[in-house]
Amino acid sequence: MSTFIDTARSQFPSLASGYIFADNAGGSQCAKGVVDRISDYLLNTNVQLGADYSVSVLSTDRVKEGSIAASKLLNAKSSDEIAFASSSTMAAENLARALEADIQPGEELIITGEHEANAGPWKKLAARKGAVIKVWSVRTYQSTPNNPYSVYLDVEDLLPLITPTTRLVAFTACSNILGSIVPVKEVIKASRAKAYEVGVRKIEFSIDCVAYAPHRRIDVQDWDVDYCFLSLYKVYGPHVSALYARSNSLEQSLSALTHHFLRVSSVSDKLQPGGPGYETIYGVTGVLSYLLSLTPANNLKDSFRAIAEHEQTLIRPLLGFLKSQESRGVRIVGDEHAGPTRVPTISFVVTGERAIKSKDVVKVFDQKGDIGIRYGHFYAHTLVDSLTPKIDIDDAVVRISLVHYNTVQEVEKIIGILRDVLA
């Protein structure tokens, strides 16, 4: 594993400073290979696409390579199923707008209280179309009776929400607050079976993979998902998002957001009005190359297996320390246990007679000057606001979000600071 971590860290010049980046769920560091591609594009091929002159041909090919790279990251059948946007929030909003004509009044849209990117667009769509919003809410782990904030999504709470008028289910593959992985394939399979049983007109699934993509491989084909999006700037790349839409949905569910005279043959033709910077799309090729470089086999399956294994070395000591502070009033928000369904996005609060505000915990780290963590609701406003006992929504939780280029030594330093804060 030392070879793995050395290989990973060597590709991020920012890590050489010694600064501990522990707010990665808000945005990871960018791999050098990504920056090199963006620079090369802007310096050498920064022209309009689609012309016949040689530089435009090369530029067009490079942007196409970015779409192909994104399709491989998502395991889509074709790059024609990929569109880009400036952020995942914009990608989801574009998707909701394109679905609007196919949503009937009274139909039901099921959402979760996770990041608002995959909730807000559907709420607004429901208001425009007279559709009904239902919320798939979290439940508390039975194994943690002393911690009411140890919550998760259970498919058994979703299935009763599906009725003959259900049209869409939008949920997260991994919570950016709870750090727990939702078994997407199993949820969709069970939901489709329930939908068939009750006789829905049409049911589709929109999956928010923003907090999932840095830690596990996405597989839209295996999951049997209709729509899926991720933010590349949280997966070691540029500030751009990728949106997948199944080809059948492209033909049967989505209306074009682009100019009326354009030939519609791909998701980008329908869901990419204007589009993000071409250089950022080409930069996505660097994300794929970086991930493939992490293991000798040069395949995503092995790379993400190595990522998951290393991340457990980060999760175990940090969760273990926080759990040991339960009598001090520390409560982990989400899954308290390490394991394959847990990523190193770890949130907590300090409650009780000696409660400490989340912002005051973070302030101590800020004063150190060489480490970055954060507090807040992280746009999962509905989730945080639903927790009981109530949490101050403006103070919310402390979040430490690590990825595979973080080290055990960095975790030890974080624990040392927390120990002093809680003393």
Side-chain angles (χ1 to χ4, degrees):
M1 187 56 70
S2 60
T3 300
F4 167 81
I5 191 65
D6 290 343
T7 298
R9 290 181 66 86
S10 69
Q11 299 188 56
F12 295 93
S14 59
L15 301 183
S17 68
Y19 193 92
I20 299 176
F21 295 93
D23 183 30
N24 296 288
S28 68
Q29 295 305 288
C30 193
K32 185 177 184 301
V34 174
V35 178
D36 289 343
R37 283 168 169 80
I38 292 173
S39 176
D40 184 31
Y41 183 94
L42 289 172
L43 293 174
N44 298 301
T45 59
N46 191 35
V47 299
Q48 185 55 274
L49 308 184
D52 293 331
Y53 57 88
S54 60
V55 179
S56 179
V57 171
L58 177 57
S59 181
T60 303
D61 288 344
R62 285 181 157 190
V63 173
K64 180 63 175 179
E65 288 174 24
S67 294
I68 292 171
S71 71
K72 291 180 179 178
L73 289 171
L74 290 155
N75 195 32
K77 286 183 179 180
S78 167
S79 60
D80 288 339
E81 296 178 315
I82 303 296
F84 292 93
S86 58
S87 66
S88 286
T89 298
M90 182 57 70
E93 183 64 35
N94 287 345
L95 176 61
R97 288 284 181 178
L99 270 173
E100 186 165 335
D102 198 56
I103 302 297
Q104 299 178 0
E107 288 191 317
E108 298 170 347
L109 313 178
I110 301 174
I111 63 174
T112 63
E114 300 288 348
H115 197 293
E116 195 67 13
N118 201 25
W122 308 117
K123 295 175 189 176
K124 290 179 283 187
L125 174 59
R128 294 194 299 268
K129 294 291 292 188
V132 176
I133 290 290
K134 290 183 173 180
V135 179
W136 176 16
S137 299
V138 295
R139 67 161 68 178
T140 305
Y141 283 102
Q142 293 183 349
S143 59
T144 58
N146 296 325
N147 185 4
Y149 302 134
S150 184
V151 298
Y152 71 108
L153 290 170
D154 192 310
V155 68
E156 295 303 319
D157 298 320
L158 168 63
L159 297 181
L161 300 178
I162 298 174
T163 72
T165 53
T166 299
R167 174 61 182 84
L168 180 93
V169 181
F171 66 95
T172 177
C174 179
S175 172
N176 74 324
I177 291 283
L178 309 177
S180 51
I181 294 174
V182 176
V184 176
K185 181 177 180 178
E186 290 76 6
V187 168
I188 292 178
K189 182 178 180 179
S191 299
R192 289 197 189 279
K194 178 63 181 292
Y196 178 80
E197 177 186 324
V198 301
V200 301
R201 176 181 75 87
K202 181 193 292 187
I203 188 170
E204 292 181 308
F205 296 83
S206 171
I207 312 302
D208 173 358
C209 281
V210 174
Y212 181 95
H215 310 288
R216 300 289 190 277
R217 190 184 179 195
I218 301 169
D219 193 335
V220 295
Q221 293 188 67
D222 185 56
W223 290 353
D224 189 25
V225 66
D226 304 287
Y227 311 108
C228 175
F229 56 85
L230 75 155
S231 295
L232 276 305
Y233 70 95
K234 299 184 181 184
V235 196
Y236 326 112
H239 203 293
V240 66
S241 68
L243 169 65
Y244 161 83
R246 194 202 299 261
S247 57
N248 286 348
S249 296
L250 171 70
E251 298 169 2
Q252 300 172 14
S253 300
L254 302 175
S255 299
L257 303 179
T258 49
H259 300 309
H260 68 88
F261 51 81
L262 293 178
R263 178 180 60 87
V264 175
S265 62
S266 70
V267 170
S268 63
D269 292 334
K270 280 194 172 183
L271 298 185
Q272 197 170 286
Y278 301 143
E279 72 278 4
T280 62
I281 298 177
Y282 182 53
V284 176
T285 63
V287 175
L288 178 63
S289 294
Y290 165 68
L291 290 170
L292 291 173
S293 75
L294 290 176
T295 57
N298 291 113
N299 66 68
L300 290 176
K301 183 178 180 180
D302 283 354
S303 292
F304 277 104
R305 182 185 296 114
I307 286 171
E309 288 177 358
H310 175 65
E311 286 181 345
Q312 290 304 308
T313 70
L314 309 176
I315 296 170
R316 284 192 292 268
L318 185 51
L319 283 180
F321 171 76
L322 292 172
K323 182 66 175 174
S324 74
Q325 299 298 304
E326 189 174 272
S327 61
R328 172 62 181 82
V330 173
R331 296 292 182 269
I332 297 167
V333 181
D335 192 350
E336 295 183 343
H337 306 288
T341 60
R342 186 65 156 94
V343 306
T345 300
I346 298 172
S347 304
F348 67 92
V349 292
V350 185
T351 65
E353 295 181 359
R354 297 167 59 206
I356 307 175
K357 287 185 175 296
S358 295
K359 68 177 181 180
D360 290 334
V361 174
V362 173
K363 184 178 180 180
V364 175
F365 282 82
D366 292 342
Q367 291 171 341
K368 296 290 183 181
D370 61 352
I371 184 169
I373 67 170
R374 202 171 177 184
Y375 75 94
H377 56 67
F378 305 101
Y379 297 93
H381 188 283
T382 302
L383 169 62
V384 175
D385 199 40
S386 71
L387 297 173
T388 53
K390 278 288 185 181
I391 291 176
D392 177 358
I393 194 64
D394 294 322
D395 192 55
V397 305
V398 179
R399 188 179 73 178
I400 299 169
S401 49
L402 308 172
V403 290
H404 68 277
Y405 56 58
N406 290 114
T407 67
V408 173
Q409 291 74 24
E410 290 177 334
V411 173
E412 290 172 348
K413 183 170 182 178
I414 290 169
I415 291 172
I417 297 171
L418 288 173
R419 184 175 284 110
D420 292 340
V421 171
L422 297 170

